[in-house]
Amino acid sequence: MIPHILLQTLIVPVIASVIIFLTRSKIGEKAGWIAGITHLYTTVLLCIAGIRVYGGETIYEEYPIGAVVNFNLLADGLSIPVALIMNLICLALAFYSIHYVDHRIEAIYGEVDKKTWLMYYTRFFFLFNFFSVGFMGVSFATNLLAMYLFMELLTVIPLYFIMATFGYSDFIERYKVALMCLFWGVAEATFFLIGIIWGYTQIGSFEISELHNLAGNPLTLWIASFILLGLAIKLAMVPFQVWMPWVHAEHPTCIAGLLAVYANIAAYVIVRVLVLPLHDDLKVFCIPVMVFAAITMIYGALLALAQTDVKRLCACSTISQISYSVFGIGAFTVLGVEGGIFYFLSHILGKAIFFSTGGILVYVTGIRDMRKMGGLWSKMPITATLWISASLILSGIPPFSGFVGKWVLFTGAFQFGMENPIVLPIVILAVMSTILTLVYTFLRGLQIFFGPLKPALANNDKIRDPPLTMTIPLLILAVVSFILGVYPEPILELLHSVIGIL
Amino acid sequence: MTVVVESIRPVLAVSCPAICALLILLFYHPKLSTRVNLRESCTIIASVIQFLIVLSMAPIILEGQELRCHLLTICPGIVLSYKVDAFGLLFAFTSSCLWILVSLYSIGYMRALKEHAQTRYFFMFALAIFAAVSMAMSENLVTFYIFYETLTASTYWLVAHHEDKEALFAGRKYLTYLLTSGWFLFTATVLTYVLTGTTDFVPNGILSLDSAAPWVLMILFALFMLGLMKAAWIPFHSWLPTAMVAPTPVSALLHAVAVVKAGVFGFVRVVCYIYGIELMSGLGLGLILASIASFTMIVGSFLAIGQDNLKRRLAYSTISQLSYIIFGVALLSHFGAIGSMIHIPFHGFMKITLFLCAGALIVIAGKTEVSQMAGIGRRGQMPITMLAFTIGAIGMCGAPPVCGFISKWYLCLGTLEAGMPIFLGVILISSLLDVVYFFPIIRTAFFEKPLEMNGGEREEKVRSKETEQPLYLFMVIPLAITAIFSVIFCFFPHTFHILDLAEMAVSNIFGGV
């Protein structure tokens, strides 16, 4: 038996961060490996916890701090799969970053002396670990204030500082965009905070398990709309999607995959905070949420079609993909919500690969404009394979996990549509965005990897597949997605054990 | 009633092209030319084995058994499994039988034209056959959908084979149409699953008036129709003539074996096995479908008249002929359904003959347009090819002694049985139009004088062009075989159990009514 198994997943990365910070001038390049191994350890822990939960156990750990605030952690069938997949992505991207950050520092700060280089290099990994802390915190927290704190932690420490230090474009632009991201993040969190404090005045508790007491309260709808508004900003739903392309485009690509997680985790929060405790009261939100989600799905996909910048393509694709989960969750049927969460997992896996492959392209060729690429298949076969598998995951084509997610999600949505015929056309329209996904991923894939090799690229010897530490983690993610696509039963069963009560 | 038996035969049949595809990749070597022969023999052997396996299933099916092989249950609803019934076997037979001939033909065609990327070509070809046979044997809509998309993906590479501007454009158009249709099919599949809790093909249909309001069923049917754009019904047909830029064996594959047949196969499956005859007539969908099919039959033929390019003319002819199959099931009558089912293999054999002839004309004589073909069928030119072409053309018009006559006969019986003699007129007009666009080709080939006659040189040459090179025999023999079979099927429609299987499938469908 491992003591404090959930707490460890939160604390160990922090400890690793502190170690990296304190020994930064000595460990140097090993910082990346330390971060990677830390995540490997926490992933193993989560696997063990996952097996226990799958056996029917619910892991609950109490860490009270004050009267209303506590850091109690709960791992049930809903939080464990989400946490596990998110941690897996952190793990993969930690290894991916080892080479990438080196390249970023060189790109931004030019040739620097050893000391400055070490400072920047270790700073990245020092900050990076807070991602998984935040993600684990949000998924395991049982207290709304704790959840809020973890969400803020995600916005402030890793997101803002990493972007400000390692982002693209020049100094001023970078800080501007980082600041904008921070503002949006804070705005979102503020709405969320207003909602939960208002809820506190009604039921006198910040515990998620107490939220069901709000049922039947006349103010519930208002409270829920504040929380929903906050989360909609985080989910980059129309009309709050503005920040996403900027932030994604400016971010160093090695953590851009985590940005998709950062945004999409709000879908999990919706299920945890609103759908499960208050599903009977919130039925009125179903149709508006589905309509907005469908609009976002299609709008995001159309935006993605119009992009020529490889990173912005990924960003717009994220806007579209996130709304799949929201769409399923909006249906409020068991399958819809399960499909929404499953699609969330599938999306973050696919997006981590997609983004990082884009990052590889930028890393290797140094250009971001996809029109200037072409015929790279012959030079970078592994990268092309990664791009194609990511495209398959995102557009929901068997045998990858996207297909299962899509199937379950739309089954749920159609079930809802059978009860409310007015929704039926919306659902049919929403399925359309899947074909748009196929178009923008594969069309761009063709443009980048096939056709004649551009002369400027052909004569460049540096253009080849990147080091294995960049490709192997991504290949592993693709394999995970494949396993989920062929054998999704454990995850679906885990989700069903919690969501089945609807 | 039929008995379902667990059996591994469906998987064996499907795995032949799959293994063949893998072997083709393994044998790939950019320089070693002996590998090329290995690759080709691999294709031929796999196709023969597959054909034998498929054929061996026929007696079992005719005894009243159905062979089922469950592969994988991914999650509730997504069940991958194969089940061979009489109708599925008919399509599987068509695909696997013609694959042998088209493979032989491909060898001659691709080598004679010295095409590039032949390994990719044979690989994708095997993959397409794998998808087509899998569709034929799929037990439910989900499996059907998955292989529908596989087929689209694999045939894209064949359509865009030349990689020039025209081919890439055709490929893009092809994908645009067929991926969109895949989206509709997916939507329809999910909706069917939500309505009934299953997506299995059951002879009397799984939907009923109890499962949803009539307008939902109507919408669902519209989704299915849009989802089966592979059947190239007008106005969603224009991908098909554009895709004619592909190498000719591919066009033959698209038009006779895999792609479009998969579309009409889907139509029959949806009408008879998802909706069921009763529900179709209850909703009045049969009449709507029959009208659309008649429209396609006649307009397709009219469009064919105006084409000078032989392959494009054949493409429009296909559009028109495929609608016979849709039309047959839409009549919702016993004979109509038999007619449409046997038209799948029969049309396959006749149309492939025509396409193989068109390909032979391109390779041997270098002629693509109808207007260039004056005297091409004369002695010293290409008499065997044009003779086969004539047989195919007669069959298309539905005249004896070619097998098109049999299916058309059943279709006419079907219209009378359904009590809609007006559609008899449609069939007759359409056949007449077939005559209008096919017979001028035959007349030009046999009765007009060759344009570039230069003195007596050509007259002395007794040996026909077709036998000039041994490579050409790879092309001429397959097309002769398909032509001969087209005639045999007319006199003995029970060859390979075709008619028996169709009768059996139809009696299962109508058994419960």
Side-chain angles (χ1 to χ4, degrees):
Chain A
M1 231 32 192
I2 300 159
H4 306 293
I5 191 163
L6 299 181
L7 188 67
Q8 281 197 47
T9 60
L10 287 171
I11 294 293
V12 172
V14 177
I15 295 173
S17 272
V18 173
I19 291 173
I20 292 173
F21 182 70
L22 292 177
T23 60
R24 60 188 181 280
S25 51
K26 295 201 183 63
I27 53 169
E29 285 175 33
K30 293 188 199 77
W33 291 96
I34 292 179
I37 288 162
T38 313
H39 283 99
L40 193 62
Y41 175 66
T42 51
T43 308
V44 170
L45 283 186
L46 284 171
C47 285
I48 295 168
I51 291 167
R52 279 169 61 189
V53 172
Y54 191 61
E57 196 183 338
T58 304
I59 305 172
Y60 183 63
E61 295 172 8
E62 289 193 350
Y63 305 104
I65 307 182
V68 291
V69 189
N70 60 50
F71 280 102
N72 294 354
L73 303 173
L74 169 81
D76 58 6
L78 177 59
S79 51
I80 252 315
V82 174
L84 182 60
I85 300 288
M86 290 195 300
N87 213 36
L88 201 65
I89 292 170
C90 290
L91 167 68
L93 293 185
F95 282 109
Y96 174 87
S97 303
I98 291 174
H99 275 91
Y100 193 82
V101 172
D102 183 22
H103 152 78
R104 264 325 298 154
I105 295 170
E106 198 187 313
I108 304 173
Y109 303 102
E111 287 292 320
V112 288
D113 60 68
K114 189 76 184 163
K115 200 166 169 236
T116 329
W117 183 86
L118 269 181
M119 184 188 81
Y120 284 124
Y121 191 74
T122 50
R123 184 188 289 172
F124 176 84
F125 288 102
F126 160 63
L127 293 170
F128 180 85
N129 281 357
F130 284 95
F131 267 118
S132 61
V133 179
F135 291 146
M136 295 307 111
V138 175
S139 35
F140 293 136
T142 61
N143 186 291
L144 285 169
L145 269 184
M147 199 179 246
Y148 163 78
L149 285 177
F150 282 119
M151 283 205 274
E152 281 288 76
L153 174 88
L154 275 176
T155 315
V156 178
I157 299 189
L159 216 57
Y160 173 73
F161 285 113
I162 287 188
M163 189 174 353
T165 323
F166 299 99
Y168 279 80
S169 46
D170 58 14
F171 184 74
I172 305 289
E173 183 78 11
R174 204 159 68 222
Y175 274 91
K176 258 174 27 191
V177 176
L179 212 53
M180 182 181 89
C181 169
L182 186 65
F183 287 157
W184 280 95
V186 171
E188 159 260 311
T190 313
F191 278 113
F192 186 74
L193 190 62
I194 293 173
I196 60 174
I197 290 181
W198 203 352
Y200 177 72
T201 61
Q202 298 297 313
I203 56 171
S205 167
F206 282 118
E207 289 299 304
I208 293 175
S209 53
E210 300 286 320
L211 270 177
H212 62 87
N213 292 336
L214 270 176
N217 194 314
L219 286 175
T220 308
L221 279 188
W222 289 102
I223 295 166
S225 9
F226 267 98
I227 296 179
L228 210 56
L229 191 64
L231 294 176
I233 297 176
K234 200 175 171 95
L235 288 163
M237 282 175 73
V238 170
F240 307 114
Q241 85 288 6
V242 192
W243 62 277
M244 183 72 94
W246 283 98
V247 171
H248 269 48
E250 293 313 313
H251 246 289
T253 321
C254 47
I255 61 154
L258 292 177
L259 270 174
V261 185
Y262 163 79
N264 211 337
I265 200 172
Y268 166 78
V269 178
I270 289 183
V271 175
R272 185 55 101 186
V273 177
L274 296 179
V275 176
L276 287 179
L278 298 170
H279 51 92
D280 289 331
D281 292 68
L282 301 180
K283 285 250 157 73
V284 281
F285 284 119
C286 286
I287 294 175
V289 165
M290 284 177 92
V291 168
F292 273 102
I295 293 173
T296 315
M297 279 158 88
I298 292 172
Y299 178 72
L302 290 175
L303 268 186
L305 266 179
Q307 301 304 320
T308 53
D309 181 316
V310 65
K311 294 183 71 184
R312 280 182 176 258
L313 168 77
C314 304
C316 297
S317 148
T318 308
I319 295 177
S320 160
Q321 292 274 316
I322 286 177
S323 282
Y324 281 64
S325 341
V326 183
F327 191 79
I329 293 167
F332 265 55
T333 49
V334 177
L335 285 179
V337 177
E338 279 177 25
I341 294 292
F342 193 88
Y343 199 87
F344 157 44
L345 301 181
S346 161
H347 163 227
I348 56 178
L349 281 171
K351 192 46 66 65
I353 304 173
F354 198 53
F355 243 124
S356 310
T357 314
I360 290 176
L361 288 172
V362 180
Y363 172 83
V364 172
T365 62
I367 41 179
R368 283 169 58 175
D369 193 336
M370 288 180 285
R371 287 169 300 183
K372 289 181 187 151
M373 302 178 195
L376 288 174
W377 171 272
S378 53
K379 293 208 159 198
M380 312 168 71
I382 301 178
T383 315
T385 315
L386 281 172
W387 180 284
I388 289 171
S389 50
S391 310
L392 290 174
I393 299 171
L394 291 180
S395 33
I397 292 182
F400 287 97
S401 56
F403 181 66
V404 178
K406 199 168 85 167
W407 172 270
V408 179
L409 189 159
F410 284 115
T411 310
F414 270 121
Q415 277 174 353
F416 180 67
M418 284 299 112
E419 295 159 19
N420 304 295
I422 195 163
V423 187
L424 214 54
I426 305 173
V427 183
I428 294 175
L429 209 64
V431 189
M432 188 179 87
S433 69
T434 62
I435 191 85
L436 290 175
T437 314
L438 199 73
V439 173
Y440 69 72
T441 50
F442 275 96
L443 210 60
R444 291 307 183 186
L446 282 180
Q447 189 177 24
I448 295 172
F449 293 107
F450 294 93
L453 193 61
K454 293 276 159 73
L457 301 172
N459 302 326
N460 192 340
D461 290 336
K462 280 184 191 157
I463 295 181
R464 57 167 188 271
D465 271 324
L468 287 180
T469 47
M470 291 177 87
T471 50
I472 287 185
L474 302 180
L475 283 173
I476 290 173
L477 290 186
V479 170
V480 169
S481 170
F482 173 77
I483 293 170
L484 288 185
V486 180
Y487 188 56
E489 215 170 288
I491 299 256
L492 285 176
E493 263 178 39
L494 279 173
L495 293 177
H496 193 76
S497 66
V498 177
I499 297 169
I501 59 155
L502 278 180
Chain B
M1 274 315 284
T2 52
V3 188
V4 178
V5 185
E6 292 289 329
S7 163
I8 197 159
R9 280 182 208 228
V11 176
L12 286 180
V14 167
S15 60
C16 287
I19 292 171
C20 165
L22 287 179
L23 287 180
I24 288 173
L25 277 195
L26 283 180
F27 290 150
Y28 176 68
H29 194 285
K31 295 197 181 68
L32 234 55
S33 59
T34 46
R35 291 285 180 90
V36 177
N37 293 330
L38 199 60
R39 181 186 71 196
E40 255 85 301
S41 46
C42 173
T43 307
I44 301 290
I45 292 168
S47 60
V48 172
I49 294 176
Q50 190 195 24
F51 177 63
L52 292 178
I53 295 175
V54 169
L55 209 59
S56 77
M57 284 192 264
I60 306 173
I61 302 285
L62 285 172
E63 278 169 24
Q65 294 181 343
E66 286 181 353
L67 302 172
R68 185 172 182 277
C69 185
H70 178 259
L71 289 183
L72 196 64
T73 302
I74 290 180
C75 73
I78 309 184
V79 181
L80 295 185
S81 74
Y82 291 124
K83 191 176 86 178
V84 189
D85 61 357
F87 178 52
L89 192 68
L90 212 53
F91 182 38
F93 159 76
T94 315
S95 307
S96 56
C97 178
L98 294 178
W99 186 32
I100 305 176
L101 299 169
V102 178
S103 307
L104 277 173
Y105 183 85
S106 295
I107 297 170
Y109 185 89
M110 299 303 273
R111 291 193 183 178
L113 288 185
K114 298 188 178 60
E115 291 277 355
H116 72 125
Q118 289 192 21
T119 302
R120 182 182 76 193
Y121 170 86
F122 280 102
F123 173 71
M124 290 299 174
F125 213 104
L127 212 58
I129 294 291
F130 162 68
V133 177
S134 298
M135 284 169 87
M137 297 186 175
S138 52
E139 189 190 11
N140 50 39
L141 264 178
V142 178
T143 318
F144 183 83
Y145 164 75
I146 288 174
F147 289 112
Y148 188 88
E149 297 283 45
T150 316
L151 188 57
T152 309
S154 54
T155 42
Y156 165 77
W157 299 97
L158 299 174
V159 171
H161 182 82
H162 291 309
E163 290 179 26
D164 53 11
K165 209 172 169 188
E166 204 187 349
L168 288 177
F169 170 75
R172 253 201 317 279
K173 194 165 178 179
Y174 185 75
L175 279 189
T176 314
Y177 272 88
L178 294 190
L179 289 180
T180 315
S181 89
W183 153 47
F184 281 113
L185 189 62
F186 177 76
T187 319
T189 307
V190 179
L191 198 54
T192 312
Y193 176 65
V194 170
L195 290 179
T196 61
T198 173
T199 57
D200 286 359
F201 296 125
V202 176
N204 292 320
I206 51 173
L207 288 165
S208 70
L209 277 173
D210 303 331
S211 38
W215 67 271
V216 175
L217 292 175
M218 300 283 240
I219 290 186
L220 179 59
F221 195 74
L223 288 174
F224 268 121
M225 284 191 69
L226 290 170
L228 295 166
M229 269 182 219
K230 278 198 176 139
W233 50 283
I234 291 175
F236 299 102
H237 65 284
S238 75
W239 59 272
L240 189 51
T242 320
M244 285 301 109
V245 296
T248 310
V250 174
S251 309
L253 173 89
L254 289 176
H255 289 78
V257 191
V259 179
V260 290
K261 282 288 152 53
V264 288
F265 178 79
F267 259 105
V268 178
R269 279 290 197 211
V270 167
V271 171
C272 300
Y273 295 78
I274 297 290
Y275 272 75
I277 303 295
E278 242 174 299
L279 183 61
M280 286 292 290
S281 59
L283 290 171
L285 287 171
L287 196 63
I288 298 174
L289 190 59
S291 314
I292 292 174
S294 323
F295 179 75
T296 307
M297 275 153 71
I298 292 177
V299 175
S301 301
F302 269 118
L303 289 172
I305 296 172
Q307 303 298 326
D308 190 31
N309 184 307
L310 182 58
K311 277 175 78 181
R312 284 180 72 89
R313 191 178 285 197
L314 291 177
Y316 280 106
S317 152
T318 307
I319 292 170
S320 152
Q321 290 285 328
L322 289 171
S323 280
Y324 280 75
I325 299 168
I326 302 175
F327 177 77
V329 285
L331 290 174
L332 307 178
S333 65
H334 189 265
F335 285 119
I338 292 184
S340 83
M341 283 182 185
I342 58 175
H343 204 48
I344 290 181
F346 286 177
H347 174 251
F349 271 88
M350 295 182 300
K351 191 41 75 60
I352 216 162
T353 311
L354 293 175
F355 266 107
L356 298 187
C357 293
L361 288 170
I362 293 173
V363 175
I364 299 172
K367 293 186 174 159
T368 55
E369 310 299 313
V370 176
S371 50
Q372 299 168 344
M373 289 177 187
I376 196 82
R378 292 191 173 192
R379 203 170 57 152
Q381 298 273 346
M382 303 173 64
I384 303 174
T385 310
M386 286 322 291
L387 206 61
F389 189 90
T390 313
I391 291 173
I394 292 174
M396 284 292 145
C397 310
V402 188
C403 57
F405 170 66
I406 306 284
S407 42
K408 210 157 275 189
W409 171 259
Y410 274 103
L411 287 176
C412 294
L413 282 182
T415 56
L416 296 177
E417 191 192 359
M420 292 185 273
I422 183 160
F423 284 124
L424 194 61
V426 172
I427 295 182
L428 292 180
I429 292 173
S430 169
S431 304
L432 199 66
L433 289 170
D434 287 342
V435 176
V436 171
Y437 63 81
F438 270 124
F439 276 64
I441 306 175
I442 299 169
R443 190 184 58 93
T444 316
F446 284 109
F447 301 114
E448 276 182 22
K449 278 193 173 167
L451 292 172
E452 74 269 29
M453 284 286 281
N454 39 357
E457 191 190 351
R458 190 60 61 98
E459 290 295 319
E460 290 163 19
K461 206 174 173 186
V462 183
R463 203 176 159 197
S464 73
K465 273 190 179 178
E466 288 153 329
T467 46
E468 269 174 10
Q469 283 188 32
L471 212 50
Y472 291 165
L473 287 179
F474 274 104
M475 304 170 66
V476 178
I477 291 172
L479 66 88
I481 293 175
T482 53
I484 291 168
F485 267 109
S486 304
V487 178
I488 290 177
F489 286 144
C490 178
F491 294 106
F492 309 102
H494 292 278
T495 321
F496 297 128
H497 306 293
I498 290 177
L499 197 56
D500 305 323
L501 286 171
E503 275 169 354
M504 171 137 186
V506 172
S507 70
N508 280 341
I509 295 165
F510 285 87
V513 178

